[in-house]
Amino acid sequence: MTDLLPFLVIGLTTGSVYGLAAMGLVLTYKTSGIFNFAHGAIAALAAYAFYEVKVVRGLPWPVALLVAVVVLPPLVAMLMERVTRALAGATTTMKIVATIGIQLIITGALLAHYGAAGLTFPAFLPADTIELFGVYVGIDQLVSACVAALGALGFFVFFTFSPLGVRMRAVVDDPDLLSLAGTSPFAVRSWAWLIGSHFAAISGVLLAPLIGLDALLLTLLVVQAYGAAAVGLFASLPMTYAGGLLIGVLAALATNVVSGSVVLSGLPPAMPFLVLFAVLLLAGKRRLVDIGATRPTPPQPPLLGPRTARIVALVVIGIGIAVPFLVGAKLPVYANALVFVLIFSSLQLLVRTSGQVSLAHAGLVAVGAATFSHLAVGAGLPWLVAVLLAGAVAVPVGALVAIPAIRLSGLFLALATFGFGLLLENVVYRTGLLFGASGSLPAPRPDGLGGDLPFYYVLLGFAVAGVLLVAAVGRSRLGRLLRAMADSPTSLATLGLGVNVTRVTVFGISAFLAGVAGALYASQGHSATGTPFTSFTSLTWLTVLVLCGAARSAAPLAAAIVFAVLPAYGGGEADGSSGWMPVLFGVGALLVALHESSARRGRSHVSAEWPTGSRAAERIGSPGRAAARERVAHRDVDSAVRVRVGAAGGAR
Amino acid sequence: MTLRVDGLTVRFGGNTAVDGATFEAPLGRVTGLIGPNGAGKTTTFNACSGLLRPSAGQIRLSGKDVTAMVPSARAQRGLGRTFQRMELFDSLTVEQNVAIGREARLARSRPLKQLWCPPAERTEVREATEEALELCEIGALRRETAGSLSTGQRRLVDLARVLAGGFTMLLLDEPSSGLDTAETKRFGEIVIRVVAERGCGVLLVEHDMALVMSVCEYLYVLDFGELIFEGTPEQVRASDVVRAAYLGSEAA
Amino acid sequence: MFELDSITAGYSGSVVLRDVSLWVPPRSVVALLGANGAGKTTLLRVASGLLKPSAGRMRLDGVDVTGKPPHVLARHGVCHVPEGRGVFPHLTVRDNLTIQATGGSAAEAVERAVSAFPILGEKLNQQAGALSGGQQQMLALAHAYVIDPSHVLLDEVSMGLAPVVVDEIFESLAKLAASGCALLLVEQYISRALELADYAYLITRGGIEFAGEPGELDGDQLTAKYLGTPLRS
């Protein structure tokens, strides 16, 4: 026991900070209905602001602290409040994409400006140690833990007893009713964003000394808050704080247990995602009510008639054939882009055709890449067999990702898949199952077609086949069922369809394509590594695809060009996941989300500023979960019916 | 294939929305379930089709207890429903909406069937779709997108969709809401024709008394989640209990 | 005086109310009648600012308040007790009253509410959602006592309540009317609403079909509107 004590103390220290960050996250989510994927990025921003003022400008640390946790958060809060207000009535996908866009903007800018290498964060608290219960504890750690704990406690008291706190809880229950009682829900939400941003900033500054200044790490570390928030079922603040402590302690204990094992070294940092994934799976729909849920927008009709589309497709293939003769030394860039056509096609199938947001897509591609290497090099299978089998192996993994899809939807599906992706990345990538301890495996090209030019045409063949496959799925019975499911899964179920099977099937098909794409990516680059397939990559892909959504069914092609070709002509980056490109994608995705949201509102008379909120469990007036669930499920439908009710009346 | 509900109770938190309702809807008959606002009619419906898990009571289809079954399993046993909110597939055409009524039932929970529609089934789907479109007289709308239709048309698409599924017991949830008098009348005529031609059973939740009185052969009246009266339309009309429930105690 | 002038309003591109005009004179009770889906709730939502009308004007004591958000209208004396239960279910009764007081004294709010509905005094620290339906409705109605509204809009406040509770609710409505604020009443218990009312409006499919004094309304015609067909044919 005693030898575990130091880990316990460390765990409680960091856990306290996670708890604080998580409370800010839950507060803003509950009051605004927008889950802020950029919460961690705000923490990172604050830490970098501190660094900029203290180290780069050479000012004293109190000034740096002032800038980071007093000046910066209100600015961020103002931005977030404006964005979320504009997102009222947006689809769940767009709400997710908008804050992911903000995260990309912040994280991408930090990475591009300060570089990916970790910087040393200036210690500003005394680093002396004191003895506490027989354990030596750094004063800085102690201060961090106490600041976070006091912040959490203070906020809890405020939330429970102060008039503003009471109103924050009221906004969660029923924003319309609050405005009827004479309080503007928007004013209350602004306060919530202010507090949430402060909590994020404080936790960023407190965490940076512990883990160093690394934009990605900081962003992801406050993602630990997701896990903590999950323990509180995204609702209870005290449980959320406790969840933070729990995750801190689990991670620290895991560090102790796995020390020495290279294979399991990823386990401690993955702990929060393990918790997140587990809670989301175990809690299920009943307990998790996505308060911001809305009905999906019906997909737009195709831009072109079937005939014109066929001609355009042929022209595009023609261009594809001609590309090698036009681009010279840039051929590998285009070869890569072809792989991305496949990747984005498989993502499109999920996101656009079936309306499910998956943030584990890079993980699936990585599984394909690694499997291919094992099969082609390890087992010596023929190239084509290895490629197709790589796709096949990705299918059960995709089905595993689909488990949350069965039980959850919308936001929680996105979160669960994000957790799954991080788990894969942190725990499995470095094991022998995937890329091994060295992190890199050889990947051959097919015999006789290994040159850049012939292999380009091999890839072109795969890309065309993949696009045709996705198109065929779209026209098949499954395609019809998926489009119907995006509109109303409820009525599909009452018509006799096993919708869970439908969900798993589409994840399976998508995973197959992603796996094949992974194999081709590895083959094109002669090696299979996990580096290009982080969770950050998954986020970037999603935003790029959404960014190109206007191209409808050609979106995968457009996305591949934007992601893999354009950067090569910009700053010479490898692809769209490095340099300033993510920032551009973030901006673009945010704008698309805002635009789509305002277009949606434009079609209705309902005022943007005063959205029809939850008319609390109307006929039954029950506070129960079941009623809350019903309320969410029917809220939008409810207003829709009233409309139609009136429409007939008006027509007379 | 009688739908039989025994002692159905649904609670939300501390409130009881439906309290021990017992009724049955046999084949070949239009059975009405009526009651004032908030009486628990739609809740009863949701429990019957499996969207809500009842707190107590049993729901049987042809004697088989289906209380624990998920909605799709009940649908496979022949129970179909429409929605007051007309949960249509707004982005699909009318024809596709109706076709899916059949396809969903054929595809069930089998991955391959969901993926691929064999030629024989294709014919079956087409025939069922045509028949349902014709019954509901909406063949002219087949190429329209469901989201662009008027309420009256949407009601008919919702009905056609469930008819194409070939269900033997139909639950119709407030089908007249949003319809004008002429549309309501037409809807009633279609329901009567469907029952006469197919011999299926219909359970109708409705607030428009004109429709109820003209199509239902037997009525159950709910108030505060409890069954307060049952009988033929004439008996319901004459009942002081029902009148009081609708207009307030002093109106009797 | 609350004037709604030629209001047209709806949701998501469809029109629910078309060219509806309605006056609520000072210190009067106006009953708004009509079948399900006629547009009564929508009209109240427009009146309290929850829904912006796409056309028409609203004037409150002569001041144009068209398009003002609900919290502003509330501060001008419009109190809307919405359909369903107008309470925050996860907040205590006391917190509910505090919010109703709109920044005023919480203690005074509690005092006023308890003098109107003594039963609430025993439940101050309970979650509103745990109250019975009738008590929740009283808590919602307490809003009209906690502030001094000039106009109270009531949407089916008796819905789903046991008859004895309905009696109590109607007594308190009479009390409210006697205290001098104007009521706009949507009720399914027509006869009771008409007993209380100075004026009545009948709304059918989004338009006003009748406006006048309750005595002028034909009872059988009214029954027909509600039940679709005369009960005694």
Side-chain angles (χ1 to χ4, degrees):
Chain A
M1 184 61 214
T2 43
D3 49 334
L4 285 183
L5 212 52
F7 292 99
L8 205 63
V9 171
I10 290 173
L12 286 175
T13 318
T14 47
S16 186
V17 182
Y18 298 156
L20 187 74
M23 282 173 85
L25 183 66
V26 172
L27 174 70
T28 52
Y29 169 58
K30 290 289 282 182
T31 49
S32 70
I34 306 274
F35 190 90
N36 185 11
F37 278 85
H39 196 70
I42 295 171
L45 187 64
Y48 274 89
F50 186 98
Y51 175 86
E52 176 74 26
V53 175
K54 171 83 172 47
V55 178
V56 181
R57 313 272 167 201
L59 295 169
W61 72 262
V63 179
L65 196 64
L66 194 75
V67 170
V69 304
V70 179
V71 177
L72 181 75
L75 302 176
V76 174
M78 225 151 65
L79 169 81
M80 293 306 303
E81 205 276 332
R82 289 213 81 104
V83 167
T84 49
R85 190 188 285 217
L87 283 174
T91 58
T92 306
T93 305
M94 284 305 160
K95 285 177 178 170
I96 293 171
V97 165
T99 61
I100 287 181
I102 295 176
Q103 188 201 328
L104 283 186
I105 295 171
I106 297 176
T107 314
L110 291 177
L111 283 174
H113 186 68
Y114 293 98
L119 300 166
T120 314
F121 191 79
F124 61 100
L125 295 170
D128 307 329
T129 53
I130 54 167
E131 199 187 319
L132 207 66
F133 309 116
V135 181
Y136 287 99
V137 187
I139 290 182
D140 50 350
Q141 286 181 331
L142 202 62
V143 171
S144 294
C146 289
V147 166
L150 281 178
L153 182 71
F155 177 67
F156 182 68
V157 170
F158 159 82
F159 196 64
T160 314
F161 299 108
S162 81
L164 183 57
V166 170
R167 281 171 173 78
M168 280 181 185
R169 284 184 286 140
V171 133
V172 174
D173 263 5
D174 192 337
D176 273 0
L177 190 58
L178 185 65
S179 67
L180 289 179
T183 304
S184 161
F186 293 102
V188 175
R189 283 186 187 132
S190 304
W191 283 104
W193 279 111
L194 190 66
I195 295 173
S197 306
H198 273 292
F199 281 9
I202 293 170
S203 38
V205 172
L206 292 180
L207 278 177
L210 301 177
I211 61 170
L213 204 55
D214 177 327
L216 222 44
L217 210 56
L218 268 174
T219 303
L220 289 185
L221 258 176
V222 186
V223 172
Q224 317 259 20
Y226 296 169
V231 172
L233 294 172
F234 299 90
S236 157
L237 288 172
M239 283 303 288
T240 299
Y241 183 72
L245 293 183
L246 177 76
I247 283 172
V249 170
L250 280 181
L253 292 182
T255 314
N256 180 36
V257 174
V258 304
S259 61
S261 157
V262 181
V263 171
L264 289 177
S265 64
L267 197 59
M271 203 48 88
F273 313 118
L274 216 56
V275 171
L276 172 69
F277 199 60
V279 171
L280 287 176
L281 283 189
L282 295 178
K285 268 183 190 156
R286 272 163 199 271
R287 288 169 174 280
L288 296 170
V289 176
D290 179 8
I291 51 178
T294 53
R295 268 161 83 83
T297 313
Q300 303 107 325
L303 285 176
L304 309 169
R307 229 190 149 144
T308 332
R310 221 165 292 157
I311 294 168
V312 169
L314 285 177
V315 170
V316 169
I317 293 175
I319 295 175
I321 294 173
V323 156
F325 308 103
L326 304 171
V327 299
K330 295 255 190 220
L331 186 60
V333 170
Y334 287 86
N336 228 8
L338 289 174
V339 178
F340 277 102
V341 170
L342 266 187
I343 292 179
F344 284 116
S345 292
S346 66
L347 194 57
Q348 167 106 340
L349 193 59
L350 283 181
V351 178
R352 285 279 164 180
T353 314
S354 79
Q356 311 185 82
V357 177
S358 165
L359 298 177
H361 219 66
L364 295 177
V365 177
V367 167
T371 309
F372 168 73
S373 172
H374 289 307
L375 294 176
V377 180
L381 291 178
W383 185 84
L384 185 63
V385 176
V387 168
L388 294 178
L389 278 181
V393 167
V395 171
V397 183
L400 207 62
V401 178
I403 295 174
I406 291 175
R407 299 178 48 92
L408 310 164
S409 57
L411 170 68
F412 294 111
L413 171 62
L415 280 175
T417 52
F418 192 54
F420 183 85
L422 283 161
L423 208 59
L424 215 55
E425 176 188 341
N426 282 305
V427 181
V428 192
Y429 276 19
R430 271 176 284 179
T431 66
L433 274 177
L434 291 186
F435 303 105
S438 73
S440 179
L441 299 170
R445 286 187 182 177
D447 295 334
L449 295 167
D452 275 357
L453 186 64
F455 193 61
Y456 171 87
Y457 287 111
V458 171
L459 292 178
L460 183 63
F462 270 97
V464 171
V467 169
L468 287 180
L469 178 68
V470 170
V473 169
R475 297 162 71 109
S476 73
R477 176 183 271 174
L478 183 68
R480 288 191 292 277
L481 294 176
L482 283 175
R483 268 170 285 153
M485 195 166 74
D487 283 341
S488 174
T490 313
S491 58
L492 261 188
T494 60
L495 288 168
L497 187 79
V499 288
N500 291 344
V501 175
T502 320
R503 292 197 171 107
V504 175
T505 309
V506 67
F507 263 95
I509 296 174
S510 172
F512 175 77
L513 277 175
V516 168
L520 297 176
Y521 187 96
S523 193
Q524 158 70 13
H526 299 289
S527 74
T529 71
T531 334
F533 307 120
T534 64
S535 296
F536 191 66
T537 320
S538 290
L539 300 183
T540 315
W541 289 351
L542 177 70
T543 53
V544 173
L545 187 64
V546 168
L547 187 62
C548 300
R552 315 279 161 85
S553 45
L557 179 64
I561 292 171
V562 168
F563 185 81
V565 177
L566 287 189
Y569 291 90
E573 321 281 359
D575 62 30
S577 56
S578 51
W580 285 94
M581 293 309 285
V583 180
L584 291 180
F585 298 151
V587 172
L590 180 62
L591 291 179
V592 167
L594 293 178
H595 172 76
E596 194 168 293
S597 158
S598 76
R600 218 169 124 90
R601 268 203 314 275
R603 287 196 296 271
S604 75
H605 290 295
V606 183
S607 140
E609 272 187 292
W610 309 304
T612 42
S614 56
R615 303 188 312 105
E618 36 182 75
R619 21 213 299 130
I620 308 130
S622 147
R625 260 184 225 116
R629 190 169 68 242
E630 274 228 312
R631 176 169 83 212
V632 167
H634 289 310
R635 188 192 302 163
D636 267 352
V637 198
D638 186 60
S639 42
V641 169
R642 294 149 154 277
V643 177
R644 286 165 202 145
V645 165
R652 265 160 64 95
Chain B
M1 203 202 77
T2 304
L3 169 70
R4 202 180 151 70
V5 173
D6 263 317
L8 178 74
T9 301
V10 183
R11 289 189 202 94
F12 296 105
N15 293 284
T16 306
V18 180
D19 194 358
T22 299
F23 59 86
E24 67 175 358
L27 288 187
R29 180 177 98 177
V30 183
T31 310
L33 188 62
I34 62 172
N37 273 354
K41 295 167 302 207
T42 297
T43 306
T44 305
F45 243 48
N46 286 343
C48 287
S49 57
L51 297 178
L52 273 179
R53 191 61 61 87
S55 316
Q58 270 190 332
I59 296 152
R60 281 195 215 121
L61 276 175
S62 338
K64 166 92 183 164
D65 187 348
V66 299
T67 318
M69 286 186 187
V70 295
S72 57
R74 298 183 199 207
Q76 292 300 347
R77 299 186 158 268
L79 182 76
R81 74 166 286 176
T82 66
F83 291 85
Q84 182 186 0
R85 302 155 204 267
M86 300 168 292
E87 302 245 334
L88 296 186
F89 309 124
D90 283 342
S91 56
L92 304 184
T93 64
V94 168
E95 190 173 13
Q96 286 171 325
N97 264 275
V98 176
I100 280 182
R102 187 61 154 216
E103 288 205 275
R105 212 169 163 209
L106 289 169
R108 307 176 152 229
S109 300
R110 299 175 190 154
L112 285 180
K113 282 259 179 166
Q114 291 194 358
L115 198 53
W116 161 250
C117 176
E121 287 189 0
R122 214 167 292 173
T123 322
E124 183 184 334
V125 169
R126 200 180 315 124
E127 282 168 6
T129 308
E130 288 310 319
E131 194 191 333
L133 287 173
E134 199 179 309
L135 256 174
C136 297
E137 301 163 6
I138 48 171
L141 300 173
R142 63 173 69 229
R143 306 253 175 269
E144 303 284 325
T145 309
S148 66
L149 302 180
S150 76
T151 308
Q153 293 165 333
R154 293 169 62 82
R155 289 271 170 229
L156 293 174
V157 175
D158 198 9
L159 181 66
R161 186 173 66 178
V162 77
L163 288 180
F167 297 100
T168 40
M169 174 60 61
L170 302 179
L171 310 184
L172 307 183
D173 190 2
E174 304 257 4
S176 86
S177 67
L179 303 194
D180 63 27
T181 321
E183 286 172 324
T184 305
K185 191 156 169 272
R186 185 168 152 218
F187 192 94
E189 287 163 5
I190 292 174
V191 170
I192 291 173
R193 200 186 323 150
V194 165
V195 173
E197 282 182 17
R198 299 193 170 182
C200 57
V202 170
L203 179 65
L204 179 70
V205 160
E206 186 49 68
H207 65 260
D208 183 330
M209 287 298 151
L211 179 62
V212 169
M213 297 294 173
S214 63
V215 303
C216 293
E217 291 158 57
Y218 199 80
L219 293 175
Y220 293 91
V221 187
L222 275 179
D223 197 18
F224 298 117
E226 286 179 53
L227 216 52
I228 56 166
F229 194 83
E230 60 171 282
T232 62
E234 290 69 32
Q235 290 167 331
V236 168
R237 246 178 240 197
S239 159
D240 284 343
V241 182
V242 175
R243 198 180 161 81
Y246 267 83
L247 296 183
S249 45
E250 284 152 314
Chain C
M1 175 76 107
F2 199 1
E3 295 162 82
L4 301 175
D5 192 7
S6 307
I7 296 291
T8 298
Y11 306 85
S12 312
S14 300
V15 177
V16 179
L17 295 173
R18 203 171 279 256
D19 199 17
V20 168
S21 295
L22 178 144
W23 291 4
V24 184
R27 311 177 73 86
S28 65
V29 177
V30 175
L32 183 57
L33 310 176
N36 267 355
K40 295 167 298 194
T41 296
T42 305
L43 187 59
L44 292 198
R45 288 174 64 82
V46 169
S48 65
L50 282 173
L51 182 66
K52 266 208 266 192
S54 50
R57 313 301 303 172
M58 291 158 54
R59 271 179 298 276
L60 189 59
D61 298 325
V63 181
D64 191 315
V65 292
T66 319
K68 291 267 187 278
H71 61 268
V72 172
L73 282 167
R75 283 160 193 259
H76 279 91
V78 177
C79 169
H80 181 179
V81 181
E83 190 187 2
R85 306 276 180 260
V87 301
F88 301 102
H90 295 96
L91 269 54
T92 63
V93 170
R94 188 189 301 275
D95 285 346
N96 267 278
L97 294 170
T98 311
I99 288 174
Q100 289 177 356
T102 323
S105 154
E108 194 191 331
V110 169
E111 195 181 306
R112 286 177 170 216
V114 171
S115 73
F117 300 106
I119 183 78
L120 294 180
E122 299 164 23
K123 312 270 179 184
L124 285 175
N125 295 321
Q126 275 191 22
Q127 279 210 339
L131 301 180
S132 74
Q135 289 163 354
Q136 288 188 33
Q137 202 53 272
M138 289 175 198
L139 178 55
L141 263 179
H143 190 192
Y145 291 90
V146 164
I147 57 173
D148 287 311
S150 56
H151 295 83
V152 184
L153 320 176
L154 299 143
D155 197 349
E156 303 261 18
V157 284
S158 67
M159 188 170 92
L161 301 182
V164 54
V165 185
V166 174
D167 289 343
E168 203 173 331
I169 297 275
F170 269 94
E171 266 168 43
S172 96
L173 293 186
K175 224 187 295 172
L176 261 185
S179 77
C181 57
L183 307 186
L184 178 54
L185 193 60
V186 170
E187 247 315 316
Q188 59 172 354
Y189 293 135
I190 313 163
S191 39
R192 296 186 141 203
L194 289 179
E195 264 170 39
L196 211 58
D198 302 307
Y199 304 95
Y201 286 80
L202 178 61
I203 182 167
T204 309
R205 297 189 193 278
I208 299 285
E209 186 167 303
F210 168 89
E213 295 187 11
E216 298 167 33
L217 267 173
D218 179 350
D220 279 350
Q221 184 196 343
L222 202 60
T223 315
K225 283 289 167 219
Y226 268 76
L227 294 189
T229 183
L231 278 179
R232 281 176 295 254
S233 45

